[in-house]
Amino acid sequence: MVDSRNVVLLVGGVGGAKLAAGLARMVPPDQLTIIVNTGDDFWHYGLRICPDLDTITYTLSGLVDPVNGWGIAGDTTITLDALGRLGEMPWFRLGDQDLATHLVRTTRLDAGESLTQITQAITSALGIRCRILPMTDEPVATRVDTVEHGELDFQDYFVRHRWQPTVRNLRLDGIQDATISAPVRQAIENADLIVIGPSNPWLSIQPILSVPGLRELIASRSVPRVAVTPIIGGQAVKGPTVKIMQELGYTVSLETVAGFYQRTINGFVVDVQDQDVHLSDLRLSVFDTLMNSDQKRVALAEHVLSWTS
């Protein structure tokens, strides 16, 4: 099956990257656009790091570490080890090949190019033919207010503290100045199908939908707009989705997730373990959403495409 529609996918993180890989096998590259969370981006040793953009890029280029789902397969950490010898505590893993991406990005940002332009250059150089777009060209930073440490930068919370602190609130620094880029707007306006990947709704998707006007733009489209569940049988496949829901006072349920996407989506894909769920006002589909092999990534992508056609 090859789908001829214009498809837009909103993602962040490893789960979203897996669905992106599946869709890339099913949709012609000039008709697939992937809009990626940049709320995780940060500065580290003078370099601009964009973890979600890089995870999607490495996945679609075939470079990704298949064990972790992020970083480059077989990468070394010689530079990181040297920093340790100099008395640093390199808590954020930067592989030597990965550093090349950050060096190119930072150099081109310093030269005045936009993050969209730079991402296009990097993905093209790696042979990726579909469009990977940052959610905005303006810097937005997720801040995590915690019980134990107060407000933390996202990567401090997620990596340095291994997402163990108790979350009280989430804040998007700079979101008020973010704008919808022309390529993002064009992709959404021309989309025949909009998919929200099985990414953490609060950490990965909320920053995208919080870009002023973006949620409203998506909701205005009279096309299938579907989300793929980020939880299976009340548990997250990976990461702190369930933990954050509980700490923010939400009931851990598909109803809560669907409510979070209220008015943005008109369809929801749930896992076979949750086939008894009932969600009012949403078209519902049941499928095996656990993408633990290449075949299952493609199968889920094909299901989403066929179900919405």
Side-chain angles (χ1 to χ4, degrees), residues 97-257:
Q97 294 183 65
D98 192 30
L99 279 169
T101 302
H102 310 318
L103 286 165
V104 167
R105 178 185 294 120
T106 304
T107 299
R108 298 181 78 143
L109 281 172
D110 288 344
E113 292 186 54
S114 70
L115 185 57
T116 295
Q117 293 172 318
I118 297 164
T119 301
Q120 179 62 56
I122 290 172
T123 56
S124 295
L126 294 178
I128 299 172
R129 295 171 56 205
C130 66
R131 288 185 299 176
I132 300 176
L133 300 174
M135 67 186 199
T136 184
D137 283 321
E138 287 75 34
V140 175
T142 299
R143 311 291 190 197
V144 184
D145 183 20
T146 69
V147 171
E148 296 85 354
H149 306 284
E151 191 171 77
L152 297 172
D153 291 341
F154 177 79
Q155 297 301 338
D156 280 331
Y157 162 77
F158 194 76
V159 179
R160 190 196 292 266
H161 293 286
R162 302 180 183 275
W163 48 271
Q164 294 310 298
T166 306
V167 176
R168 289 190 296 206
N169 193 28
L170 298 169
R171 181 173 69 87
L172 294 171
D173 189 18
I175 194 65
Q176 69 279 358
D177 298 319
T179 59
I180 305 172
S181 68
V184 167
R185 181 177 295 278
Q186 181 183 44
I188 294 172
E189 290 178 344
N190 293 336
D192 301 306
L193 169 63
I194 299 171
V195 182
I196 296 177
S199 308
N200 187 308
W202 286 267
L203 296 181
S204 295
I205 303 300
Q206 180 169 247
I208 302 175
L209 297 179
S210 295
V211 173
L214 189 53
R215 183 190 287 265
E216 293 78 10
L217 178 61
I218 293 172
S220 72
R221 298 301 324 285
S222 56
V223 299
R225 308 181 308 274
V226 305
V228 178
T229 180
I231 56 177
I232 299 174
Q235 298 296 322
V237 175
K238 186 177 183 181
T241 299
V242 168
K243 177 177 178 289
I244 284 178
M245 290 176 73
Q246 292 171 333
E247 291 168 356
L248 292 178
Y250 293 107
T251 300
V252 178
S253 68
L254 296 180
E255 289 86 353
T256 298
V257 176

Side-chain angles (χ1 to χ4, degrees), residues 3-134:
D3 199 290
S4 60
R5 292 173 296 170
N6 293 320
V7 178
V8 170
L9 174 67
L10 278 58
V11 294
V14 174
K18 291 179 178 180
L19 183 57
L23 287 170
R25 297 272 295 273
M26 307 302 299
V27 180
D30 61 343
Q31 293 174 254
L32 176 60
T33 300
I34 303 165
I35 299 173
V36 183
N37 168 46
T38 57
D40 297 4
D41 297 5
F42 72 120
W43 292 96
H44 195 53
Y45 290 109
L47 299 175
R48 189 61 173 170
I49 316 296
C50 301
D52 283 356
L53 278 172
D54 292 342
T55 294
I56 301 296
T57 297
Y58 295 154
T59 298
L60 294 188
S61 65
L63 292 173
V64 76
D65 182 337
V67 176
N68 291 319
W70 49 264
I72 295 176
D75 209 351
T76 54
T77 57
I78 296 171
T79 302
L80 209 65
D81 296 340
L83 285 169
R85 288 198 300 271
L86 295 174
E88 294 291 307
M89 297 181 64
W91 53 271
F92 190 87
R93 187 184 186 281
L94 293 173
D96 297 314
Q97 294 183 65
D98 192 30
L99 279 169
T101 302
H102 310 318
L103 286 165
V104 167
R105 178 185 294 120
T106 304
T107 299
R108 298 181 78 143
L109 281 172
D110 288 344
E113 292 186 54
S114 70
L115 185 57
T116 295
Q117 293 172 318
I118 297 164
T119 301
Q120 179 62 56
I122 290 172
T123 56
S124 295
L126 294 178
I128 299 172
R129 295 171 56 205
C130 66
R131 288 185 299 176
I132 300 176
L133 300 174

